[in-house]
Amino acid sequence: APGWLRRLCGRLLSERLLRPSGVQAVVRGILEGTGGGAGAEAAALDWRKCDAVAKILASCPQQCLSLEDYYRQVCPQILDLLHIQDKVAARQFQRVATTTLLTMAREHPGLAERHLLQPLLSPLLRCSEAAELAVEDLAAGTVLVPEAELGSCVEDVLKVYVVGNDNSSLLLGSLQAVLGVVFSLYSFAKQNVSYLRSPCQEILLWFLEKAERERSLAVLGGLAGLGGTVPTLHPRCRVRAGSEGGAAIAVEETISDEDEALYQKISLEQCHMQSLVELLSHCQKSGLAGDFFIHCLKELTQVAAEDEADPDLAVEPGRSLLELEQEQAKQGRQLLVLQLVAALCEGVSDTVFTDIGQVQQFVAAVLQRACAHPARGAGAAAEAQTLAMAMGLVAALLGGAVQLQSSDFSVLKRLVPLLEELSRSYPEPLTQELASDLRIAICTHGACAPGTVGAAAHGVLGRRPGVGQSPAGVPGGAPSAGGSRAPPQHRHRERSTGREPSATSATAAPCADSPAPAALQELLVSAYDPQPPARAAALRHLASLVTQRHPEALRLQEKLLQVFLENMQHEDAFVYLSAIQGVALLSSEYPARILPVLLAQYECPAQGTGDAAAAATRMKLGEVLMRVTRALGDMVFQQREPLIRAFLRGARDPDGALRASSLSNLGELCQHLGFQLGSIVQEVTCCVTAIARTDPEAEVRRAAVHVVVLLLRGLSDKATEVLRDVLRDLYRLLKHVATAERDGAAVLHAQLALEELDAVMRRVLFPPQTLQKKIVVLP
């Protein structure tokens, strides 16, 4: 446009923007013309237009006197955009408001905090214990935050923070100031029926995921009552149930009866503790639950050390009132730590650890506690059991529950000084011996593992099959070798004599927690044979048992799945191909149970593995998924959404080979789906078009064009019906590749696809004429 026209339009736009309700008028003027129906849906998804409007609103016009005045006039109107009731325009207006707010927060943090974030969070800040409002002066029963205002505030926070997903320090700091109140609402909604439970949970989980780990741990400690980093709900404020399914915050009268007040306080703390454990159960994959568990164990160790140092400090006569209050607060904190550790052990201990480092930190905390405060008195049995479980975890690691690398042993070596001290100072001789043997096994990288190590590993895995189980393969879920590594000839001698391996041999039963027949037990042992031919033969035999639907093999399907998945990481092609066949057969028998596990591992590889190893494992899992797709046939439609989502995510992976593999799998899946593709064909077309035009690697562009070939080949004459909305885009893509692509193989794929498309269109436009004989009976 000419310069004079741009200047005139800018001046008129700025003048309208600064008038009352100008923001909404400008947004409606720019985004008008949606008209409802498919056009409205398309406009609601046009994020680029919404982002352009947000940039206009975030920029101060030249006609405004100062930036402060502009923010004072515009910011309340921007917050009003979050409350548009029109369902068609609501998504656009919310997108504009969120993007504008985040842009202003990045460009002018101080002004954005004063004019946007504080008004947004004011209902939550009003009832916080750090609020400037004197809640004590208000009468009992006064509604501090009404139900409608509180529900609207929580929804606005969800839209801006969680949906906006900007983890800047300003946003995290402002949200941290109200997390205590949000947690109180979450705890209330968890105990009652309220629609606030889900948004409050999403807000809390978003902060814990986006903040730094130390900050998240401090916030969790504050929510549990261990620290003051998070302002909580004011002591005189209580959450009440609302009439519309929400909640309101009101001032309650101080309870004069001490017993009743104590009961209310204990009930509230217990409710908050249960809610915190429930919240941490959603943070296990990220490792936050394990880190907080270890943090609490360290607090417990400090409590034990303080009690050991000053056992009778509380009963000394002549102490001042301040000292007595401090001692009472200290005892309350100790009880809180004990209660928190007990709740975590009961709620999330089975799957709390996600890598070797967390296991090491947990064991170190337990060993430090045992060294500082040996098991004596009333709690001796519990202390000894905790110590035995921790040392059993280390023994299971060394016994072969996981394939340890040299880096893992460097992590475990941090336990050597503690084990040495425990072997000298602990009163029980068996624990001393086990600590000494574990130290030897760690220092020799498992080459020399005495028999006590194997017995401990077998004991902990036999008693608690879920301890330490995690997606990363930490002990408890994998078939484990129970102790010292016996040479292969010794194991062969055990097989030939018909004896089952003992708990202290390297071939201890992988399924020690569930008895199996001797033949199946022998196959599970052979699946970890160091010789690739013997291992592959065992895997093939296990796969044949699945095909024959052997009852004992089907009963141990989870163990078999773990065995096959571990052997897929073997470098020998015969071994991992046998494992791939076994996983495919098992998945085709139980797709609803096993496919989600495979898809989760395909999308999120195990932590601690290198990029190349993770990409290779994911490509093998992709081959498994495609074999399952072929086996399911038309029944694959039930798993259509997660499969396509997984392959589309794989097509965006940094590794080029994995991108090409994911695209190949995507093409074959689309070929199988046929008419069942539905609206997903739009996403597939956009993905393939972008990759074929912009990907830097020729192999990936080749795979993207090959997806179109498979799609047309699989649909055949149905292509004009299924692809009617995207057929023109695919044709333009193929012509572009055929004329502008430098890679010869990609050009060949494009020419093949054009020939397929030409054949399809010819059959549709010029159907073959057939001669038919008709016999007509005349009247």
Side-chain angles (χ1 to χ4, degrees), residues 235 238 252-269:
R238 290 292 181 271
E252 281 199 354
E253 187 177 357
T254 305
I255 302 175
S256 57
D257 188 0
E258 294 184 359
D259 293 339
E260 180 65 22
L262 181 61
Y263 173 76
Q264 294 287 348
K265 182 176 181 297
I266 293 175
S267 300
L268 186 62
E269 289 179 354

Side-chain angles (χ1 to χ4, degrees), residues 131-302:
E132 298 179 359
L133 179 66
V135 179
E136 292 82 358
D137 298 337
L138 298 177
T142 304
V143 178
L144 204 57
V145 184
E147 178 186 4
E149 185 181 4
L150 186 61
S152 175
C153 177
V154 172
E155 290 177 359
D156 291 348
V157 172
L158 182 70
K159 295 171 188 174
V160 172
Y161 288 85
V162 181
V163 179
N165 198 22
D166 188 344
N167 57 344
S168 63
S169 58
L170 174 63
L171 292 175
L172 290 175
S174 61
L175 184 59
Q176 184 174 347
V178 298
L179 278 184
V181 181
V182 175
F183 180 71
S184 297
L185 289 174
Y186 169 71
S187 181
F188 169 80
K190 187 176 178 299
Q191 301 296 323
N192 300 274
V193 179
S194 175
Y195 67 85
L196 293 178
R197 177 181 179 180
S198 180
C200 289
Q201 177 178 304
E202 291 187 32
I203 293 168
L204 292 167
L205 291 176
W206 180 85
F207 180 89
L208 295 175
E209 178 186 352
K210 297 300 180 181
E212 297 177 357
R213 184 52 56 92
E214 293 299 326
R215 190 174 188 177
S216 298
L217 292 176
V219 166
L220 286 172
L223 296 179
L226 298 178
T229 57
V230 180
T232 58
L233 188 68
H234 196 279
R236 282 202 59 196
C237 293
R238 290 292 181 271
V239 184
R240 292 181 177 178
S243 58
E244 301 296 329
I249 298 179
V251 179
E252 281 199 354
E253 187 177 357
T254 305
I255 302 175
S256 57
D257 188 0
E258 294 184 359
D259 293 339
E260 180 65 22
L262 181 61
Y263 173 76
Q264 294 287 348
K265 182 176 181 297
I266 293 175
S267 300
L268 186 62
E269 289 179 354
Q270 193 171 20
C271 177
H272 283 184
M273 198 74 66
Q274 294 174 357
S275 302
L276 185 65
V277 173
E278 173 73 18
L279 191 66
L280 284 171
S281 66
H282 300 282
C283 304
Q284 297 186 40
K285 290 185 179 180
S286 63
L288 180 61
D291 288 344
F292 186 65
F293 194 12
I294 294 166
H295 174 74
C296 294
L297 285 175
K298 291 178 179 178
E299 289 277 347
L300 196 59
T301 303
Q302 184 178 357

Side-chain angles (χ1 to χ4, degrees), residues 41 65 94 147 174 222 233 311 315 324 333 425 448 550 558 570 572 593 670 684 686 721 747 751 762 775 778:
E41 185 68 16
L65 297 177
Q94 291 171 12
E147 178 186 4
S174 61
L233 188 68
V315 296
L324 290 174
R333 180 184 175 85
S425 61
C448 178
H550 191 277
E558 295 181 3
H570 200 277
D572 188 270
R593 188 178 306 171
C670 292
V684 174
C686 292
E721 295 181 51
V747 173
Q751 291 173 350
R762 285 181 182 275
I775 300 176
L778 297 175

Side-chain angles (χ1 to χ4, degrees), residues 19-40:
R19 292 180 184 176
S21 303
V23 171
Q24 189 173 144
V26 168
V27 174
R28 287 188 183 275
I30 296 177
L31 299 179
E32 67 182 355
T34 56

Side-chain angles (χ1 to χ4, degrees), residues 140 408 521:
D408 298 330
Q521 189 80 2

